[in-house]
Amino acid sequence: MKRFILLFVSLLCIVHVHAQDPDFHIYLCFGQSNMEGNARIEACDLEGVSGRFLMMAAVDDQERGRVKGEWYTAVPPLCRQYTGLTPADYFGRTLVETLPDNVRVGVINVAVGGCHIETFLPDSIAAYVEKRAPHWMKGMLEAYDNDPYARLIELAKLAQKDGVIKGILVHQGESNTGDPRWPYQLKRVYSNILRDLGLQGQNIPLLVGEVVNSDRGGICAAHNDVIARVPSVIPQAHVISSSGCTNAFDLLHFDAAGYRELGRRYGRKMLQLLGYDVPQVTWRDSSFEPHIIQPGGRITFNHRAPEASKVELSGQFMDGNRPMVRNSEGIWSITVKPPKADIYPYNFIVDGVAVQAQNNPDIFPNENFKASLVEIPDPEALYTVNDVPHGKVQYCTYRSDVLGTDRPLLVYTPAGYEKGNRKYPVFYLVSGTTDTEETWFKVGKVNVILDNLIAQGKAVPMIVVMPYGNMMGGTPSPTSLAAAKMYQTFSKEMTECIMPYVESNFRTKTGRENRAIAGFSRGGGQSLYTVYSNFDKFAWLASYSAYLTPEVMDLYFPDLKTMIPQLRLMWFGVGTSDFLYQNVLDHQAYFDGKGIPYEKMFTEGGHTWMNARTYLAETLQKFFK
């Protein structure tokens, strides 16, 4: 009899050891929709799931033959039928990739889309279900018998017969955004789990994931500041950064790629806590997006400056500078909505210093301010590259005898130029104060606009020449007579150096009828002065946000009334908010008083390259016709 009892006890011990496998690591997952899984499960997510990664069904799933409380290979969905990819998917995969082959990983996922943290507090769940839960949430709650917390504990106790609970994952907070009580409510949930599972006194990490980040334009991103306070309330808690994790169009949920990356971050953090030398990779080590165009025309701007105390956004789509918000990775972000689709210059002010955007190759060419460019896609915009024949832009260098130096020049030739012997009219296009010879190309998009207009039959194929307008002697105020001296130098540079170089090196039509000139800001004043001094060389003239004073015109061009009728086009454009608006009106009034005809265009907005592109597109359709 004694031998029988000993044998029976030995058998019980064997069964007990087999049932409670210390190498079966179990993790409890709870939260709302981002833990539940909102992204569509893709083919890659269904393949290659290790047999060492398991999930315990939290509900019956007849479609997959899953029974509540049973273990299955962790092929998604891991929460309920019709849910999507979750951070738990790639959390488990990341663990089994590193842990020894004898270690298995199991997850239990109980989550309810849209729920508040009260859903997991036993003393508030009944009232929440009865009074606060919206109609669309009722079915999710019923799947857990209207008590998600009780279901989590029920399954966790079953799992404890098979393995050892190693940690808890939570992703919740969108429905409690900004609530300062949230960390303390989460502590109650965490403490209840430890008590109800007999885990008190054990070091059970709580991994708390951030919501869609401010660097992605997340509409609940303010809650990440609340999440950051959790470790001070729960010493066993660790925050999992969502910085750079891609998101769905609603700016509330992650997309599939975002869930994969967030899940890996949960996994890497857990591996670190288990003693493995695994770096916690976040956005600083991955692809950095300086701006993200969101649905509805909103743009999220980002700048990495972890040591900065203040970062602001400056852009030509808004008045003044806007303060940006720092996330846990030292990324400063802001989401704004420009008034319409366009190409906008912007930059950041970091502790008072203007800087360009990191990782943005689209730079505003300028001598002084440091701006980058953001293009809001618009299929109807002329600046959009379309499937049409494209011209070429060449970088050239010519000798300036006027200035005694070599000078840069950009030249656009239309599609087909290289294949024939046709000659083309020439449009000389001058940029503004502090701009370079590249500005009309990289900011004005003259090549793209002209490609599209030529393809639409709205513009004559032409050569466009873009000189550097800085005459290296300073830029006097256009209100002064001193400005005329600089204009005179440019006029000589144009007629004695630039034009001869272009006509010697490109197939150009000669004669005034085949030459046009226009410019923005300083370039507009230079263009006006050049034509008024050389009516024999130009027949087409446009001025974008520029003018000459009556004093300059009376002094240098007393015969304008008799000369201007020789022009095929004299055109003025200016924005009604432009700081030069009144000066341009005064310029036009001068002509009105002398009965000199001209064309004009007024637009909303100020002294911007958005307006300059508008004027360019308008006049390109008028030249040489």
Side-chain angles (χ1 to χ4, degrees):
M1 184 65 180
K2 185 176 180 180
R3 289 180 63 190
F4 175 76
I5 293 173
L6 289 173
L7 178 62
F8 180 73
V9 171
S10 298
L11 289 172
L12 283 178
C13 290
I14 292 171
V15 172
H16 180 73
V17 170
H18 174 72
Q20 294 182 331
D21 181 359
D23 291 329
F24 186 17
H25 297 183
I26 296 167
Y27 296 89
L28 309 182
C29 309
F30 72 94
Q32 59 184 108
S33 54
N34 273 315
M35 182 58 78
E36 181 184 76
N38 187 263
R40 182 174 64 86
I41 298 165
E42 299 175 359
C44 64
D45 305 313
L46 300 171
E47 301 170 351
V49 181
S50 171
R52 294 166 48 220
F53 177 31
L54 305 174
M55 58 85 69
M56 177 180 279
V59 298
D60 292 334
D61 183 348
Q62 295 181 354
E63 180 178 325
R64 293 169 181 79
R66 292 174 176 173
V67 177
K68 183 188 77 172
E70 298 293 331
W71 291 107
Y72 302 92
T73 300
V75 176
L78 304 188
C79 187
R80 301 186 312 278
Q81 188 176 4
Y82 307 125
T83 57
L85 201 66
T86 93
D89 282 282
Y90 283 81
F91 165 78
R93 298 183 198 209
T94 300
L95 291 185
V96 298
E97 287 172 358
T98 300
L99 292 173
D101 290 345
N102 63 305
V103 176
R104 295 178 297 156
V105 173
V107 295
I108 301 171
N109 190 335
V110 176
V112 179
C115 74
H116 289 67
I117 193 66
E118 293 89 336
T119 309
F120 294 92
L121 290 170
D123 57 355
S124 62
I125 181 59
Y128 186 85
V129 171
E130 180 181 355
K131 298 179 180 179
R132 296 182 60 190
H135 175 75
W136 51 263
M137 191 186 292
K138 298 290 188 181
M140 304 180 208
L141 292 168
E142 289 172 0
Y144 302 119
D145 295 329
N146 289 321
D147 195 340
Y149 176 80
R151 177 64 56 85
L152 182 66
I153 297 302
E154 172 194 351
L155 298 175
K157 287 181 177 180
L158 285 175
Q160 283 180 303
K161 298 177 181 179
D162 302 321
V164 180
I165 293 176
K166 287 287 190 177
I168 303 170
L169 282 62
V170 60
H171 198 287
Q172 197 277 331
E174 292 90 346
S175 296
N176 294 83
T177 295
D179 186 347
R181 300 171 299 170
W182 186 83
Y184 301 95
Q185 293 171 307
L186 180 61
K187 181 179 181 180
R188 288 176 57 199
V189 178
Y190 176 70
S191 298
N192 288 343
I193 292 174
L194 298 185
R195 180 199 64 206
D196 293 342
L197 296 180
L199 300 172
Q200 289 176 317
Q202 298 184 36
N203 182 17
I204 305 297
L206 177 68
L207 308 186
V208 188
E210 291 183 333
V211 300
V212 175
N213 213 278
S214 57
D215 59 39
R216 298 294 308 181
I219 59 176
C220 294
H223 193 66
N224 287 336
D225 289 338
V226 178
I227 293 174
R229 297 197 290 271
V230 171
S232 66
V233 177
I234 308 173
Q236 300 88 343
H238 305 269
V239 175
I240 308 303
S241 171
S242 68
S243 182
C245 291
T246 52
N247 54 281
F249 71 92
D250 61 6
L251 306 181
L252 183 66
H253 299 96
F254 299 96
D255 61 12
Y259 283 122
R260 294 182 194 113
E261 174 58 23
L262 186 61
R264 292 185 186 104
R265 294 181 186 182
Y266 273 98
R268 287 191 287 264
K269 173 53 69 174
M270 192 63 220
L271 287 168
Q272 285 180 335
L273 296 173
L274 291 172
Y276 290 87
D277 185 15
V278 179
Q280 184 71 3
V281 180
T282 54
W283 195 9
R284 70 183 65 182
D285 305 303
S286 57
S287 178
F288 183 94
E289 296 182 78
H291 60 255
I292 302 166
I293 299 175
Q294 307 285 10
R298 291 176 295 179
I299 307 177
T300 298
F301 291 92
N302 299 304
H303 188 74
R304 184 169 186 268
E307 304 303 323
S309 58
K310 181 181 181 181
V311 179
E312 297 174 295
L313 171 69
S314 175
Q316 287 193 6
F317 40 78
M318 63 187 191
D319 294 328
N321 300 335
R322 301 279 183 87
M324 302 174 72
V325 176
R326 185 188 188 279
N327 76 1
S328 60
E329 300 298 326
I331 307 298
W332 297 77
S333 305
I334 186 174
T335 299
V336 299
K337 185 175 182 180
K340 63 178 182 177
D342 213 317
I343 303 173
Y344 293 102
Y346 73 95
N347 65 281
F348 302 110
I349 313 297
V350 180
D351 289 337
V353 179
V355 299
Q356 293 170 333
Q358 301 150 323
N359 283 11
N360 184 353
D362 297 322
I363 297 172
F364 193 119
N366 192 273
E367 300 163 353
N368 291 344
F369 66 88
K370 304 303 180 186
S372 300
L373 299 171
V374 55
E375 178 177 331
I376 302 177
D378 179 359
E380 302 302 319
L382 287 172
Y383 60 71
T384 299
V385 177
N386 291 307
D387 186 15
V388 300
H390 299 297
K392 293 185 177 181
V393 175
Q394 302 178 48
Y395 283 75
C396 304
T397 301
Y398 70 95
R399 181 65 186 177
S400 169
D401 292 330
V402 171
L403 299 177
T405 186
D406 294 319
R407 300 273 290 175
L409 194 71
L410 266 63
V411 179
Y412 163 90
T413 51
Y417 176 88
E418 295 82 3
K419 296 180 180 179
N421 55 12
R422 175 182 173 183
K423 293 185 177 181
Y424 296 88
V426 184
F427 172 34
Y428 294 90
L429 181 58
V430 192
S431 54
T433 304
T434 75
D435 294 322
T436 75
E437 72 282 359
E438 291 186 302
T439 311
W440 271 115
F441 170 40
K442 293 188 173 180
V443 185
K445 300 293 183 180
V446 59
N447 57 315
V448 179
I449 293 172
L450 196 45
D451 286 342
N452 288 327
L453 288 175
I454 292 172
Q456 295 169 16
K458 296 180 179 179
V460 172
M462 66 185 79
I463 294 171
V464 181
V465 178
M466 292 162 270
Y468 182 31
N470 189 338
M471 294 294 99
M472 314 312 291
T475 301
S477 169
T479 60
S480 68
L481 284 174
K485 299 298 183 182
M486 181 270 292
Y487 296 152
Q488 284 177 344
T489 302
F490 178 83
S491 178
K492 290 186 64 178
E493 178 78 359
M494 173 60 66
T495 57
E496 297 179 14
C497 304
I498 297 173
M499 287 171 51
Y501 171 83
V502 170
E503 293 178 1
S504 297
N505 290 276
F506 294 89
R507 297 195 309 274
T508 65
K509 291 183 178 180
T510 57
R512 61 186 304 274
E513 294 287 330
N514 297 303
R515 298 192 195 101
I517 188 170
F520 174 56
S521 192
R522 178 184 67 189
Q526 291 170 322
S527 299
L528 291 169
Y529 194 98
T530 298
V531 171
Y532 296 165
S533 303
N534 299 277
F535 282 105
D536 60 326
K537 294 180 174 62
F538 296 91
W540 311 83
L541 169 63
S543 170
Y544 313 146
S545 302
Y547 67 97
L548 298 183
T549 64
E551 292 78 12
V552 167
M553 291 188 290
D554 283 340
L555 179 62
Y556 293 97
F557 312 114
D559 298 326
L560 273 183
K561 184 174 182 179
T562 60
M563 301 301 292
I564 281 184
Q566 300 179 45
L567 294 178
R568 297 287 300 276
L569 176 70
M570 187 170 76
W571 190 97
F572 299 103
V574 69
T576 54
S577 299
D578 195 315
F579 67 91
L580 297 181
Y581 176 62
Q582 187 58 52
N583 300 101
V584 175
L585 292 186
D586 292 343
H587 188 70
Q588 294 174 0
Y590 180 88
F591 293 128
D592 292 337
K594 294 182 177 295
I596 300 173
Y598 57 89
E599 295 184 26
K600 61 186 178 182
M601 180 181 190
F602 297 126
T603 57
E604 296 182 354
H607 200 75
T608 68
W609 275 86
M610 292 82 77
N611 269 339
R613 274 191 301 274
T614 298
Y615 307 147
L616 172 67
E618 182 72 14
T619 52
L620 283 172
Q621 300 176 67
K622 296 177 178 291
F623 293 146
F624 311 122
K625 291 184 177 180

